[in-house]
Every structure is written in structure tokens, then in C-alpha cells.
Amino acid sequence: MAQAKDRQFRPLPVPSVDVSGFWGDWQEAVCDHTAAILLDRCVEARMLEQIDISVPSPGLVIPVVGWLGTTQMFWDSDIAKSIETIAYSLYRKPNSELEARADAIIDMYEKLQEPDGYLGSFFIRIWPEKRWSNLRDFHELYCAGHMIEAAVAYFQATGKRKFLDVMCRYADLIERKFGRGPGQMRGYCGHEEIELALVRLARVTGEHKYMELAKYFVDERGQEPNYFIGEAIRGGWDPKGVQAHAFEYNQSHLPLRAQTKVVGHAVRAMYIYSGMADIATEYNDDSLTTALEVLWADLTGKQMYLTGGIGPAAANEGFTDYYDLPNESAYAETCASVGLVFWASRMLGRKPDRRYADIMEQALYNGAIAGLSRDGKTFFYENPLESAGKHHRWTWHRCPCCPPNIARLVAAIGSYMYGVADDEIAVHLYGQSTARVALAGGTKVTLRQETQYPWDGVIALGVDVDKPVRFALSLRIPAWAQGATLAVNGQAVDVAAVTSDGYARVERDWQPGDSVRLDLPLVPRALRAHPKVRQDAGRVAVMRGPLVYCLEGVDNAPGLNSILLGDWLGKSQTASIPNLNGAIAIDLPVLHEVAEGDDLYSTTTPDTVDGEARLVPYHLWDNRAPGEMLVWLRTQRG
Amino acid sequence: MAQAKDRQFRPLPVPSVDVSGFWGDWQEAVCDHTAAILLDRCVEARMLEQIDISVPSPGLVIPVVGWLGTTQMFWDSDIAKSIETIAYSLYRKPNSELEARADAIIDMYEKLQEPDGYLGSFFIRIWPEKRWSNLRDFHELYCAGHMIEAAVAYFQATGKRKFLDVMCRYADLIERKFGRGPGQMRGYCGHEEIELALVRLARVTGEHKYMELAKYFVDERGQEPNYFIGEAIRGGWDPKGVQAHAFEYNQSHLPLRAQTKVVGHAVRAMYIYSGMADIATEYNDDSLTTALEVLWADLTGKQMYLTGGIGPAAANEGFTDYYDLPNESAYAETCASVGLVFWASRMLGRKPDRRYADIMEQALYNGAIAGLSRDGKTFFYENPLESAGKHHRWTWHRCPCCPPNIARLVAAIGSYMYGVADDEIAVHLYGQSTARVALAGGTKVTLRQETQYPWDGVIALGVDVDKPVRFALSLRIPAWAQGATLAVNGQAVDVAAVTSDGYARVERDWQPGDSVRLDLPLVPRALRAHPKVRQDAGRVAVMRGPLVYCLEGVDNAPGLNSILLGDWLGKSQTASIPNLNGAIAIDLPVLHEVAEGDDLYSTTTPDTVDGEARLVPYHLWDNRAPGEMLVWLRTQRG
């Protein structure tokens, strides 16, 4: 067995996990609705005209704005994330029409690709003279990254190599173009993404040069002199950029290993930390892991919403000050929570540790999945924790990054559930599913999870092996799961004794037909924020398992801030919510504050009357009727 | 005596009131600093180059933006409000240098004026071809209004007629240009202001045609078909404008008499309601008064901050939804509270009524005067009711409307203190001052107020008459002044018996040497907002007299939201604040919440320890050291 610290856990390919139950329902929605909707909206937005050389170029469809670019520059990423979603959905549910549409787009890209491999549609058809001229703002490598991810996914799901070959040619060009050698550009992208994409490409192709290129982008970022200064001077524009603290905005203000504070654009931050974590895993690079641990503590200890939403401000789509977590105006972009899931999952590359997996689950079940409606047809971009009733799901967005991002995460959820090392399988997420795992030496293991999780906390695991085989099965015991119990083949296991870093590790010779039963008590609990979070002062939020709960207008009387929680713990009841796929609501006794008179301000203290309130999972809000929503509830004791 | 309902109360000219004490200190700051600073900043911004025909035109200094205009279009208004401020300051404190600078600017305007009287500098020197082409956005009549107000003020303060004559010629042009006659433009300004200015011009010149023109603008606004639709079609731009709800934005969506909800841009709303109230007074127009009463109840009952701040949103610089009063992100522009003072003072034109005067005082002492630093050198544009420590006073602003607006209000405060009808003097505001009043028939009365108000509630009024004269003296008894007492020549008066509409009315034959003593108890009180104001739920604010109090970082431990008010009423003490001109602080016992551990979220309830907190007047915050600020405080019972 390798040194514990040098274990390398990698995710399973999406097709290795069959998902049903809770996540199966979500995947059905993506297969049946979201996947096609994404393509439809790309077409409506005229994106395909930009990549189809058989039709005239659409020209500049979206005007150039203050930052000297246009969101049209990253149309390739929207198309790519849509194709990635389709890839996973085709694996789950074959759909010849959707596959034909994806194939047609891939054909367009093949025809569009230049002889040297270049494949950025905006800079082929609209602004060819500006290619590679503005890495900071123009998103070329970002688009390449998403196209690489899509190509990998499409290959894994369908076995078709064409897109993968196209993207290898583009990656080869990038590998020749960027680096520290003579004649190479010593730059990196203003919007990180290609780093993690190149790791995926290296893993699927076995080409180490892509890993090395990813490592170069990670190592080079933020080195002195900052690449973006010279670039701006050459381009004749303001080196300070349009964003205040421009270098912080894209995490290039310091070398990545020297960064200790999570700053700037939230999605960019999550993507580069994901890439760093991948490189840390692949190179067993403790210097990266150490930096990431500091950044992780900074984000999750001072800058994260309870929902796993991050980046409170619209102005920079990102971070502001420590403990600044406004609820009603929260930006908390869906993509940022999706990115936090990406990062957290990659922090599990070096060892199972619930510090990361608990947050991965929290972001996934709340801030991320909230971005998709239950039917897969509409989307949230911002994810506030309070609404006076005017925040509703969109059919699309001016910057359509979030819909395909949450869709591809849902469609690929199986690959986030497990981490596999040579002789260890870590179960990070629970959910009805079957996983086919290959350990070192080709030993095959099939893991079946039977569970109603997250509605119920009992998880029955079947471990199928052809013959007896020794490996460790590490099961996450979430920090919230007080009193969790574990049994192997009906024999109780002392959870505390076998648990380290929050994972119960059962190492044994597994026999055909072995079974494991894990029971995670799902007791509603009241969370308080640190007193420095002024916006939550005196308020509590209710969680059950990984789920954050909220009050919604449709279930309660108007004026959710007139509801006061009293002594409710132990007095709550759960109930299944009609028309929400068996989702569990929490009903509990409360006090309702009653207005006395119409005065806007008065010296009287309002009376209270006894009442009841219903809480529903945050991620399901705005799926029934429009109305108010509130996560942080008032209490009798302020 | 006139019918009670037909009494017409008009303000005193500024030079009729000598102010000292509290407001005298503020006026000194304006005279010594603000007045010159305003002109200096106008010069730095290159405003004078636009009106000085002896130098080249500066051209377009501030680029045209989305709404197709530039803030450079209203430079005349910034200059005019500065001159208005200087006019009042010259009356208080002669300053030959400042007077010479103002005279020079007036000379420039005289030379700039076109033969037909036109005098909009941007449309003379920058865009002459666009004159009168876009009343909705281009602010021409708005600028004319402010220039008229400045000319009236300069005439009243210095006796010099030149600017007044210049502006009468411009007003004559406008009077010929606008109206319902053949060849006239049947329009009105997108930014109201000229209405109230024309009333002032009519009052000082005695020219009824200016009053009629003001009435025309009031009567015509919002009539069908909306003027701005035809204008936009003629100009070839989007009739919907750049603002959503474009007609509501400038209060032209309905005829003014049919409007029942306060909407749109807050300053615009306040200015047109001010003009409406003036016309209601001058024409004894009950239809206008009735509409204004409805709008008043709408604003003050559902849309006003406790500070008299109004217009919570930056997006439209104005109103949003009922009871939507976010504290930290409050826009609550200084100009809007100044405008509320304007409107409230004019609602007193038909009778004394504390419904209006109490709010006038509340807006004046809190939302408005907060806009000026105690030394008269720096300014607030937005006036939030909570700050995490980053909101600070500016030396100037991209749109410098607020600094001269609060400065001219302070410098003219004497004219807001009294309302004078034929045989009645109403005292709306208390403060150390001497007012020279002329009643019907020329009877002269001098009123002296001796008081430390608002720090102390005792007001000694001396009524000086040459010979016995009968008139009514109406003294406002604020709604908060529980237990107010009144004595005339030492004889107690039954306040309740003589009070109607919140004014104690003492009608008698006043003798030389008569004196009145009013005692308004200043007891700190705790205000709660209506439960529908979600942002203030479970919180209280402390007021003493007209002053809203706040916690400031400089006086208290960090984390103002960790402070809980308990049972403090009756346990507070007042103290004079060092270095703030004798301002009164309130010290009171509180609980401090103590963090347990560093977890961002946990299931533990924080402990509390006993402590003390100091509250200071809201309008004085950010005058000592930068830091946090909080108006709405947490309570032990949420």
C-alpha cells in the first residue's frame, strides 16, 4: 500500500455509476428537458452561426461594453457545457435526435478548426486580428477548457473520438504556444478553467504533456512581473483593467502558492483552486495542498453562505469582506456553488476528509441544485437566502453560464459520489446508485447503494466482488450525523474507533454478497451564524441532514419576517410535500407577530400569537407558486 | 379674518430671520467653508468654462451615457445652487471675495444670454441644435428653475437685481414658449423643479404670469397623450426611455391630481409635490391639496426611513415597493430628504399641521443634515442606516447635486422656521433665532426664540410688538412631546384645550414684552417599524426629540450587531460629546453577544455579557473617526 499521504483518489468516469432515487429524478429532468433546452437556447442566441462556416458570420451580436469585450466571446463555452450535459444524458438515456444535434455541432467545430489547430470561434470569425491579444478579458483559454471538458465527456459517454481528437489538436497548439521556452507566450487565462480541463484530458488520453501544461498554468499564475501588465501596455489599454483590484479579480495578484485569502470573481477562484487541487493530487504536491488548505479555511470559515453559496456581490460577481453575507441581495451565483463542488471534490484527491466532502454536499444540495427547477426547465442565476417575492426562475440569462453548469453537474453526479485509490474506495456522497469500480490490478468491485437519502438517513450498501478481495471502504460520517451507526454484515462497527478525518474506514477481505448498513440520523437542527455575520444576527436557520430549509410564501402567511421561532426543537414534524417528488417538509410551532395599527413607526411592541410554520428544502423553493422566501428566521430571543 | 381653510401661510424671506444656536453653528460652517468649496469644485469640474464666452467652449467633458445625455447638461443647476448658498451666506456674513466671485458668474450668465432670453449654457455652447428637443432627459427647465431660485435668493440677500432681471427675461421666454396656445410647446420638464421656482419668482416680483406658468406645468403633467411619447417619436428614440416604468420615473404617468402612490425618482417626486403644494396654497386649490394628502400618507406611511430618508434604490434613485427599506444599501439621497423638507414646508401653506411639520423636522435633523459634515467640508450622497465601516463622506461626487442642496437648505433654514398668514404666525421649527415678521396691514412683530433646542426642550419666546396687536401665535407641539407645557407671561396654558392639528394656538392681544415658554420633554424613546418592514424586524431605534440616534464604531466595541438592547428605558443617561459642539449622547446598559469559537455556522447559542453602549445623533456620524454605524438595534426579545 502506498504511503497514506501519497494515496491518489480519482473520480469515476460518469458512465461507471448508474444513478437512481433522488439524483435519478434530477437526471431524468435533465435528460427529458434541460439538455435539449440548452441547445435550443444556444440556437436562439445565434451561437451556432458563429461556428458554422457554411453560413455567414453573425458579426458582433452582443455589443462590446466597458471591459472592451462582449459575452459573445464565450459562446463556445456555453455550447461546450451544453454538449457536455448532452453527453452525460445520452449515457443515461439514449436520444438519437439529441445525439445527432451534438454530432452536427462537433462537425461544425471540426470544419471550423484552423490548420494549426486553433479553435476559438469568435477569434476565427469575428475578431481574428485580436487572437491571443487579451488573455485577461477575452476568455480564449477558458473556452478551450470547456470544449476540452465537453470532448472528454462526449468520448466517455458515446465512445466517439472526433471531438476529442479535435480538442487534442487545439490543446497541442496551446501546449506549443504557452510556456517558458523561447518564442512562447508566458501567459495564462484571465478566467481560469483550462487547468482542470487539461487534467481531465491528460487522464483520459494518458498524455502527460497536458498535465504538464496544466501545471505550468498553475505555477506561472501571479508570478512577477504580472503578465497582464505587459499585455495591457502592448494593447494600449489601462493595465488596471475595468475591475477595481484587477489582479485580485482573477487571482493573479500573487503566485497561487502564496495566496491565503479567497478574493475576486467567485467562479474563477473555484476553477483555479480545482485545477490546483488536481495538480496537487497528480504530483503529490504538498506546497499546493498547504496553500489550498489555507484558502479552504478562509472561504468556508469566513465567506460562505450556509447554502454553500459564495460571492455575495454582483459588482465583481465575487467576494467582498469577511463575514459580509447579505441575504436578500446575495449574488451567490449558481456557477460559483457548482465550482465549490468541483473544488471540494478535488480536495478529496489526496485523502478522504469530511472537511471537504461535507461542504461539497452542502453546496451541492443547496446553493448549486437550487439553480435548476425541479422540472429542469428554468434556472436561477443568483441564489439569495431571502426574497420579498420578486426573485424568480429564468428561462434564460443574458450571460447563460449557469444553466449548463448546473445541468452538467447533475448529469455527472455519479462521478462525485466516489473517490478511488489503488486499494481504497471512498464514498463521499450517499444516494441510490450502482458503481462499477476497478481497483489496482484490475480488481472489479460493484457497489450498490440502496437509500432514500437525503429524505431518509438509512443507507444499505451492497459490496459485490467476484472473489474475496482486500481493500478499504471509507464511508463519510457527516459532522452533523450525531449518533451515526454502522454495521457490516449485520455486525455493529464502533464508528468512533474506525473513523479518521470524518470517514469510517473498513479495511477487510470483502466477500461476495457482503453488505454494509449506515444509519445517519436526520434530526432537524438550528444553525446560528458567527456573531460577526451582521446580516444573520439573532437569527437561526434550520437544516436536516445536508439540506438547508426555508420558509416559502406558498406554505405560510404573508410576512415571513413576522414569524418567530421559539422552543421548537423536538416539537417539529416531517411531512411529504405534495407535487415535489416526496420531498420532506418540516412543520413546527412558531409565534406570529401581529401588527398593531398602520403606523410605519411607533413606540408600541407588537403582540404575538401562536401559530405553525412549514419549512421546505431551500433548493426546491420557487417550484410551486411565486412568493416570499426566508432562510434565516427570527427567534424569540433576538 | 379669512376663512380658516383659505388662510395662506408663506415662508419668511431668509434675511428676515437671524439664526444662532444649533443652526447658527451649521450656518457658520457653510459661510466659512461650504460656500467657497462649492464654487471651487464647480471651477475644478470646468463648469465655468461652459458659461464664460470669453474662453473656448470646453466641449463634451463628461461623456454621453446610456440615457443619451450627460450630467454636464445640468451644470447650470450646480452653479445656481452654489450661488443660492452664497447668497444666503452673504446675508449672514458679508464676504467681499465670495460676493465678487458670484457677481463675476452672474456677469458671465448675462453675457451668455441670447437675445431672446434663452440661457441654458450646455445648449448654447455644446449642443445648440438640440435645444428643447428632449424635455424628458435634458434638464433644461430644471436648470432654469435652479437659476431662478438663485436669482431670487441673490436679490433678497444682496439687493442686486441683475441676476433676477436676467432670469425674468429667461422666464418670459419660457412663458412664451410653453403652454396650450397656438405655436406653443405643450410640454413640461422630465426633472421637475421649475414649478416651485416660478412660484418663488412670482412672489418676489409680484408677476402673476409666473404663477400661472407654474400652474400650467402642474396642470399639464401626465395629461393624455403623454408629451414624452410624441417627443421620443419625433427624436427617433425609444419612447420607453432608459428607465423601466419611464413615466412613473418622472411622475408623468397620470395627471398629478390623479396620482395616489409615490413612485419613481425621489428628488423629482419631492420637487413636483412642492410645486403642487405651492399652487394649492396660492390658488386655494382643494383638488391639489386632496391629492397631496393621499401622496403624503403614502410616502410617510409606507415608504420613508425613520431618518426621513426616502428612495431606497440606487437603480432609479427612487422608490421601490411598500415597506422595502433596506438599511445598509439605502440610497436615501441627501437631495431627497432635502426635497422632503421642501415639500413638507409647503404643505404648511394652507394651515399649520404637525403631520407635515413633524416630518419636516425629522427629515431635516436626520436624513438631510447628515449630508453635510460638521465642518461643512465633506458630504454624504447616500445615507444608509447601517454601515459595516466603509461608507464615508466625500469631498465631491460625480453628480454633485447634494452638496449645494443641503448647503442652501442650511443657509436658508430661517425661512423654514415660520409660516406667516394675514393674522397668524406659525412656529414650525424651534431654534435660537430672531424673526422679523410683517402681518397684514404692515403690523411688525419680532419673535425671539431663546433655546438650546434640539439638545434641550425648553423654548423661551419673546414677542416684541411696538403696540398691542391681535394675532394668533401657533406653536407646534410635536407628536413625540408627551407632557409638553406652555405658559404665556408665566401663566400656564392648557395645551390640549388650545391645540388643533398639533399646534397650540394662542390668539390674543399681544403686548410689548410678552413672553411665552414652551417645554417639550426630551425623553429617549424606542421606535419599532411596522412588521411589514422586514429589514427592521425585531429591532428598535432610539430617538430623542426630533433626532434619530445610532451606534457608532468610534464609541463602541466592534460588532454593533452583537449589541442587544434589554430593559433600558429609564436607565439611560445623557452626556455631551467631546468635539461635537455640545451634542448630546445617550449612554445605556446593553448586553454584548460573545462569539464561542470561530465556526462560521454552529448549533450553539452565543452567550451574552453585560455592557454599556453609547448612542449619538445619526446626523453627526462619521464626523470623528471612520467605522461602523447602526440605527436599528437588536433587542433581547427579537
Side-chain angles (χ1 to χ4, degrees), chain B residues 544-559:
Chain B
R544 180 175 181 268
L547 298 173
V548 174
Y549 275 71
C550 68
L551 294 170
E552 226 190 327
V554 65
D555 298 310
N556 297 285

Side-chain angles (χ1 to χ4, degrees), chain A residues 113 116-118 144 148 164-177 194 198 201 209-210 213:
Chain A
Q113 188 167 38
D116 67 356
Y118 186 84
I148 289 169
L164 189 65
D165 292 339
V166 163
M167 290 315 300
C168 283
R169 285 197 290 276
Y170 191 15
D172 292 344
L173 169 69
I174 293 168
E175 198 265 338
R176 294 192 302 275
K177 187 92 191 169
I194 193 160
L198 287 167
L201 187 63
K209 67 177 177 182
Y210 300 139
L213 180 58

Side-chain angles (χ1 to χ4, degrees), chain B residues 5 27 42-43 89 147 204 257 267 320 378 390 409 416-417 430 509 519 525 534 546 559 574 600 606:
Chain B
K5 65 170 295 210
Q27 289 194 341
C42 288
V43 171
S89 80
M147 293 164 77
V204 79
R257 288 176 182 79
V267 176
T320 55
T378 55
K390 288 193 169 176
L409 174 59
Y416 295 86
M417 297 174 79
Y430 300 107
D509 295 307
D519 195 337
R525 60 194 191 279
R534 61 191 180 279
T574 56
L600 185 52

Side-chain angles (χ1 to χ4, degrees), chain A residues 207-242:
Chain A
E207 283 281 5
H208 189 60
K209 67 177 177 182
Y210 300 139
M211 199 69 82
E212 285 284 286
L213 180 58
K215 184 171 187 305
Y216 156 77
F217 284 132
V218 165
D219 291 344
E220 187 61 25
R221 190 170 206 87
Q223 300 293 342
E224 294 276 358
N226 188 293
Y227 177 81
F228 298 131
I229 294 176
E231 180 182 80
I233 291 167
R234 285 192 297 280
W237 72 84
D238 179 7
K240 290 192 178 156
V242 291

Side-chain angles (χ1 to χ4, degrees), chain A residues 295-458:
Chain A
L295 291 166
W296 183 267
D298 187 80
L299 177 72
T300 60
K302 292 174 184 155
Q303 305 203 65
M304 185 186 77
Y305 287 100
L306 185 65
T307 54
I310 53 174
N316 65 342
E317 301 194 304
F319 300 100
T320 56
D321 298 312
Y322 286 159
Y323 302 107
D324 177 36
L325 296 166
N327 290 305
E328 194 172 346
S329 67
Y331 198 66
E333 188 184 334
T334 300
C335 278
S337 288
V338 168
L340 177 54
V341 173
F342 293 167
W343 181 24
S345 71
R346 285 160 170 89
M347 291 302 284
L348 299 166
R350 304 199 70 188
K351 68 172 182 185
D353 188 333
R354 79 173 174 203
R355 255 194 303 169
Y356 309 116
D358 279 6
I359 296 286
M360 174 168 77
E361 185 180 51
Q362 195 170 340
L364 173 67
Y365 276 97
N366 301 290
I369 190 63
L372 189 64
S373 67
R374 192 60 204 75
D375 62 8
K377 294 179 180 174
T378 55
F379 312 94
F380 273 143
Y381 192 94
E382 300 95 342
N383 291 284
L385 282 77
E386 175 173 6
S387 169
K390 289 194 169 176
H391 186 75
H392 300 298
R393 295 172 184 280
W394 299 52
T395 51
W396 201 236
H397 197 275
R398 64 183 159 69
C399 174
C401 51
C402 296
N405 224 358
I406 180 59
R408 68 181 179 134
L409 173 60
V410 165
I413 198 68
S415 75
Y416 295 86
M417 298 175 80
Y418 303 94
V420 180
D422 287 349
D423 52 4
E424 181 167 351
I425 303 172
V427 185
H428 302 310
L429 296 175
Y430 300 107
Q432 179 99 356
S433 58
T434 302
R436 290 170 293 278
V437 182
L439 296 174
T443 310
K444 286 187 167 30
V445 181
T446 299
L447 275 181
R448 284 176 290 99
Q449 290 193 49
E450 296 282 341
T451 179
Q452 299 299 314
Y453 193 86
W455 307 126
D456 184 83
V458 176

Side-chain angles (χ1 to χ4, degrees), chain B residues 344-409:
Chain B
S345 72
R346 285 160 171 88
M347 290 302 282
L348 299 166
R350 303 198 71 189
K351 68 172 183 186
D353 188 333
R354 78 174 174 203
R355 255 194 304 169
Y356 309 115
D358 279 5
I359 296 285
M360 173 168 78
E361 185 179 51
Q362 194 169 342
L364 173 65
Y365 276 98
N366 301 289
I369 190 63
L372 188 63
S373 67
R374 192 59 204 75
D375 62 8
K377 293 178 179 175
T378 55
F379 313 95
F380 273 142
Y381 193 92
E382 300 94 341
N383 292 284
L385 282 77
E386 174 173 6
S387 169
K390 288 193 169 176
H391 186 76
H392 300 298
R393 295 172 184 280
W394 300 51
T395 52
W396 201 236
H397 197 276
R398 63 180 159 73
C399 174
C401 51
C402 295
N405 224 359
I406 181 59
R408 70 182 178 134
L409 174 59

Side-chain angles (χ1 to χ4, degrees), chain A residues 135-164:
Chain A
L135 299 184
R136 192 189 70 191
D137 301 324
F138 287 178
H139 291 70
E140 277 168 288
L141 292 168
Y142 166 83
C143 285
H146 277 302
M147 293 164 76
I148 289 169
E149 286 203 88
V152 169
Y154 206 71
F155 168 68
Q156 287 180 328
T158 66
K160 296 180 185 171
R161 284 201 64 98
K162 183 187 282 185
F163 200 17
L164 189 65

